Amino acid sequence: MQKPYIILEGNVEYTLGHIQNNLIIYDFDKILVYLNAKGKLLFGAGFKLFDEDSEIVFRLCNYMIRDEANCKKLDMDVRKGVLLTGPVGCGKTSLMKLLRHIVPHQKPYKMMPSRNIVFGFNHIGYKTIEDFGNGQCFCFDDLGVEPMGRHYGKDCNVMGEVLLSRYDLFLGYSIKTHATTNLNAQELEERYGIRVRSRMRELFNLVAFDDGSKDKRT
């Protein structure tokens, strides 16, 4: 029988928890050991999780494993997606790429740079918006810094339209959407308008790095 809390990477086995009363009880310290190891495999030997980010990692891990009791304490709604915000280089994209690996039994979300979606729109038009309004779970990376879309001379705020489609999916089918962004709430509202910003409050749990978080890429 497959045990989703035991993950094999090469010849190394990582046990992230144990079964108790038919529930997986995860061990956060063991999850951290696995995340650091998996991060090195994905991003290179220099990867590491920083102590200063432990609170954010803890919040996101509890969300990913769907620990409803802890999420309630952390003011996280497991039905919603995650909007991970913070300054450039603080590690948002790497974290979202990494964390999906601790729950191999769940259908993974697909990482998609927001600018690539706009480039697709510029090439093939509104079908692009339909394609990202489907039943798959996505994480839109670098939301808010993508260019305006333009197809056959007509401008379109592509990601704003995609988010409205994702909101309808969330309401109708409980399909989650995740995103990372460098922008704050006011900047997002200026970029997408009040209507989309209102929908984003319902779509996402906000998880924010401190404004002073250092650039991990330097």
Side-chain angles (χ1 to χ4, degrees):
M1 179 181 174
Q2 188 178 13
K3 298 177 180 178
Y5 56 90
I6 298 177
I7 301 176
L8 192 65
E9 294 288 350
N11 296 320
V12 182
E13 185 177 274
Y14 296 89
T15 300
L16 307 188
H18 63 277
I19 291 287
Q20 182 176 309
N21 298 327
N22 292 322
L23 293 174
I24 303 175
I25 308 300
Y26 284 93
D27 183 318
F28 183 59
D29 289 334
K30 291 179 179 178
I31 290 176
L32 288 181
V33 169
Y34 171 68
L35 288 175
N36 271 298
K38 184 65 174 179
K40 286 177 170 57
L41 291 173
L42 290 175
F43 309 119
F47 175 86
K48 68 174 182 175
L49 294 171
F50 290 80
D51 290 342
E52 66 193 65
D53 300 331
S54 59
E55 183 180 336
I56 281 180
V57 175
F58 182 71
R59 287 171 64 87
L60 291 172
C61 283
N62 277 282
Y63 171 83
M64 292 293 174
I65 64 176
R66 298 179 182 170
D67 186 327
E68 294 197 24
N70 265 343
C71 282
K72 190 172 183 180
K73 293 176 188 174
L74 296 165
D75 197 26
M76 299 272 285
D77 186 339
V78 294
R79 297 171 302 170
K80 296 182 178 182
V82 165
L83 177 64
L84 186 57
T85 74
V88 173
C90 67
K92 301 181 296 297
T93 301
S94 296
L95 262 185
M96 291 304 290
K97 286 181 177 178
L98 178 60
L99 284 164
R100 54 188 172 174
H101 292 282
I102 67 175
V103 282
H105 54 299
Q106 295 180 22
K107 187 177 180 181
Y109 48 85
K110 184 176 181 181
M111 297 291 296
M112 183 59 60
S114 297
R115 66 198 301 269
N116 288 10
I117 299 174
V118 175
F119 295 155
F121 174 87
N122 293 347
H123 182 58
I124 63 172
Y126 286 89
K127 185 180 182 301
T128 302
I129 294 171
E130 293 174 14
D131 289 344
F132 288 97
N134 65 25
Q136 187 169 348
C137 186
F138 290 101
C139 178
F140 300 126
D141 196 27
D142 274 338
L143 184 69
V145 295
E146 74 281 352
M148 183 69 72
R150 190 171 180 84
H151 185 66
Y152 282 112
K154 188 174 181 180
D155 289 339
C156 178
N157 192 329
V158 176
M159 289 309 300
E161 294 298 326
V162 169
L163 289 171
L164 290 174
S165 296
R166 301 299 301 182
Y167 175 75
D168 291 338
L169 281 174
F170 173 67
L171 285 187
Y173 303 99
S174 300
I175 294 171
K176 295 178 182 177
T177 303
H178 308 300
T180 71
T181 184
N182 303 329
L183 306 186
N184 60 34
Q186 182 60 40
E187 290 168 329
L188 286 168
E189 186 170 310
E190 290 170 1
R191 183 72 174 79
Y192 297 115
I194 294 174
R195 181 174 175 230
V196 173
R197 177 66 187 124
S198 173
R199 301 294 190 269
M200 290 176 72
R201 291 189 184 96
E202 297 181 61
L203 268 177
F204 297 121
N205 294 286
L206 178 62
V207 180
F209 280 88
D210 187 83
D211 288 341
S213 294
K214 64 184 177 183
D215 191 335
K216 312 298 195 301
R217 299 178 298 190
T218 57

